[in-house]
Amino acid sequence: MHTRSLVVLALVVLFTEAQGLWDAKREEKCINYYQTGKNFDLNQLNDHQWHAVYFWPPIQRQRETCGLYNFRSMSDDEVDNATENCEDVIDESETAIQATYRNSTGKLVNVMYFGDQEVKTMMRSCDKVYKYLFVRINDDYVTGINCSKGGRGILLAKYLPTYKEVQGVVEGIWFMRGREGGPDCPLR
């Protein structure tokens, strides 16, 4: 009986390690696919309210109105306070912005984005840190891609567009072609 328990424990440890390696390779593959070679300056999002108008894959829960993301720069003190219990999670000398929004259940959420290179760090908390890319589509649209979550994507718009406008923009995003997506809110 004791030997069987050891074998099961060894298999669990082996599976857990293999899963971690698989996730890291998947994350790296996602980054390599979506990288454009152009650094996105986080300050382009700063002091703007952006509408979340499209998601890849589509969100199952439909909202009555599109989500609003409020972005703002973070002071050095705010960065220090937010990361004081996180050892070596982010480089505190890099550009930092905070996004505040209400999720689909109405809960207020704060996330932070850090980085001066193309691949950013998105942090919800010390144990929820993700590799993230922003790609500027045009002056009014930005796509965010969470490579730590399998390439989940979001299309942000500076203003609330029509459904037809969003469809036109989505069709022009070559790197998202073939992926199932959709708005999670009614567009005019």
Side-chain angles (χ1 to χ4, degrees):
M1 192 67 159
H2 182 68
T3 303
R4 184 181 298 167
S5 297
L6 288 175
V7 168
V8 169
L9 178 62
L11 288 173
V12 167
V13 168
L14 183 62
F15 177 75
T16 302
E17 290 295 317
Q19 184 65 39
L21 290 173
W22 171 257
D23 288 345
K25 285 190 182 287
R26 211 169 91 190
E27 181 180 84
E28 183 179 329
K29 188 176 180 180
C30 174
I31 290 168
N32 290 337
Y33 180 78
Y34 290 109
Q35 275 184 316
T36 63
K38 299 175 187 171
N39 290 347
F40 181 87
D41 182 0
L42 289 172
N43 290 312
Q44 292 180 54
L45 299 171
N46 191 32
D47 294 330
H48 288 288
Q49 214 177 43
W50 291 78
H51 300 267
V53 295
Y54 201 88
F55 292 87
W56 295 270
I59 304 290
Q60 299 305 314
R61 175 179 275 169
Q62 290 292 304
R63 297 173 180 246
E64 291 180 23
T65 60
C66 292
L68 286 174
Y69 283 64
N70 293 298
F71 290 93
R72 66 171 188 79
S73 292
M74 296 174 66
S75 70
D76 291 341
D77 287 342
E78 288 174 313
V79 171
D80 289 343
N81 289 337
T83 61
E84 71 182 334
N85 296 323
C86 312
E87 277 191 43
D88 301 323
V89 172
I90 57 107
D91 180 351
E92 294 178 19
S93 67
E94 294 185 320
T95 302
I97 63 170
Q98 181 181 46
T100 304
Y101 65 95
R102 292 206 179 273
N103 67 14
S104 59
T105 63
K107 180 181 176 189
L108 189 63
V109 177
N110 291 306
V111 295
M112 293 161 283
Y113 297 94
F114 301 91
D116 293 323
Q117 302 302 314
E118 185 172 6
V119 179
K120 311 297 184 206
T121 300
M122 180 179 93
M123 187 176 110
R124 290 184 179 274
S125 62
C126 294
D127 61 339
K128 292 182 180 176
V129 178
Y130 309 102
K131 296 294 182 192
Y132 206 90
L133 288 106
F134 287 100
V135 179
R136 181 182 175 276
I137 305 303
N138 60 38
D139 288 343
D140 297 322
Y141 292 92
V142 170
T143 300
I145 303 157
N146 188 338
C147 280
S148 300
K149 291 290 186 178
R152 283 182 173 267
I154 183 173
L155 181 63
L156 300 171
K158 278 189 178 179
Y159 61 90
L160 189 58
T162 65
Y163 180 79
K164 187 175 179 179
E165 287 174 273
V166 169
Q167 284 307 117
V169 171
V170 168
E171 288 172 13
I173 303 174
W174 67 267
F175 53 85
M176 290 301 208
R177 283 192 190 133
R179 292 192 61 191
E180 183 183 359
D184 78 331
C185 57
L187 299 170
R188 10 179 203 108

